Amino acid sequence: MAFVLASVAIFPFLLFLLLLGTASANGLSKSKLSGRSASRCEGWRLSVESGNLRDWDVVPSKCVGYVQKYMMTAGQYWEDSKVAVFTILEYVKTLKLVGDGKDAWVFDIDETLLSNIPYYQQHEYGGKAFDSKTFEAWVLEMKSPALPSSLLLYNRLLARGFKIFLLTGRDESQRNGTVHNLFQAGYKGWAGLILRGVNEQGSQASAYKPEKRAELVKKGYRLWGSVGDQWSDLSGPYEASRSFKLPNPMYYIS
């Protein structure tokens, strides 16, 4: 009887803890992160990169400083990118290409081949809500530098004989500026640059990019690999044989 009474007394307390945990999880999903420790922000970033945390709008205010430090030159971001690229290169070593001109690889552009850190430095590293007009103005400046490890990977894949396709969420109206920026950053020799057409404006990347991959597959291309900084770059129908996500805790695209 004493055990039963104790259980009854403890149950409301356990229920309270459960509700508290649920409230905390909901707070995370709305980017209202509590706590000041770097470890808490590290946990937030891990949830972002793993795809556990979705549909968030801005970096939590208490984690802006953490993200800034993470993204700084010679910071952990650059090391994480290198490790991802070395992992990809190890995978590439295992492949036996057919060599008929249909062995393909797909890259996203922003935060995959080109870095927009100079832009996000002026926008609290994702701590401010995304502004399409100011970002479009930045794109027109054509000053996005290459991600060094991605440029290395790109050139290795070209040398190996892959046909490289660049599949981006940028608009067709930005083609000339994008091509110029890519050339300036050192990227050349791609087989196709795929941008959003007029009828594709506003569609989610998670729907638009699989459709474009499907078009490549129907043309006979074998998609051996795909690289992007968002899960929406990589997942969905017509996925590549292997998909590799590069780090990016500054923004989320569905």
Side-chain angles (χ1 to χ4, degrees), residues 25-248:
N26 289 336
L28 275 173
S29 67
K30 296 177 181 178
S31 297
K32 295 179 180 178
L33 190 69
S34 61
R36 297 176 180 274
S37 68
S39 61
R40 191 69 180 272
C41 291
E42 177 70 16
W44 173 84
R45 186 181 68 82
L46 178 61
S47 292
V48 167
E49 301 294 8
S50 63
N52 291 335
L53 184 59
R54 303 178 182 181
D55 300 318
W56 54 279
D57 297 321
V58 296
V59 173
S61 59
K62 293 178 180 179
C63 290
V64 168
Y66 166 83
V67 173
Q68 177 182 1
K69 183 178 179 181
Y70 175 78
M71 301 298 295
M72 287 175 61
T73 302
Q76 188 62 44
Y77 168 72
W78 304 95
E79 292 302 316
D80 290 347
S81 297
K82 288 178 185 177
V83 170
V85 165
F86 291 149
T87 301
I88 297 169
L89 289 173
E90 288 301 309
Y91 162 67
V92 171
K93 290 178 182 178
T94 69
L95 300 179
K96 295 181 179 180
L97 305 189
V98 178
D100 60 353
K102 295 295 185 179
D103 297 307
W105 198 282
V106 179
F107 280 98
D108 174 50
I109 292 181
D110 293 299
E111 270 58 65
T112 300
L113 296 180
L114 298 177
S115 171
N116 296 302
I117 290 179
Y119 169 82
Y120 282 98
Q121 285 176 337
Q122 306 302 317
H123 295 82
E124 297 184 6
Y125 292 87
K128 289 184 178 180
F130 180 74
D131 185 331
S132 59
K133 291 184 178 179
T134 59
F135 185 74
E136 183 174 352
W138 161 253
V139 169
L140 292 175
E141 291 183 27
M142 300 173 287
K143 294 181 179 179
S144 297
L147 283 162
S149 54
S150 294
L151 182 57
L152 170 68
L153 172 63
Y154 181 95
N155 287 328
R156 292 279 183 89
L157 293 176
L158 269 183
R160 182 72 191 277
F162 286 96
K163 296 293 183 181
I164 294 181
F165 291 90
L166 312 184
L167 175 52
T168 175
R170 293 187 180 194
D171 298 342
E172 184 62 43
S173 62
Q174 298 170 322
R175 177 176 292 274
N176 290 340
T178 299
V179 168
H180 181 76
N181 197 160
L182 287 165
F183 277 158
Q184 280 191 322
Y187 296 101
K188 300 174 183 177
W190 57 79
L193 171 58
I194 305 168
L195 302 99
R196 289 180 186 267
V198 175
N199 295 330
E200 294 159 338
Q201 303 299 319
S203 62
Q204 291 188 327
S206 56
Y208 156 72
K209 293 202 170 186
E211 289 176 359
K212 295 304 177 182
R213 291 197 301 268
E215 292 176 8
L216 293 175
V217 171
K218 290 174 183 178
K219 291 178 181 178
Y221 288 102
R222 291 175 292 277
L223 307 184
W224 289 104
S226 181
V227 184
D229 66 293
Q230 303 286 323
W231 286 112
S232 56
D233 294 330
L234 308 169
S235 59
Y238 296 93
E239 288 185 41
S241 296
R242 283 288 304 273
S243 297
F244 299 90
K245 186 185 181 302
L246 298 184
N248 178 11

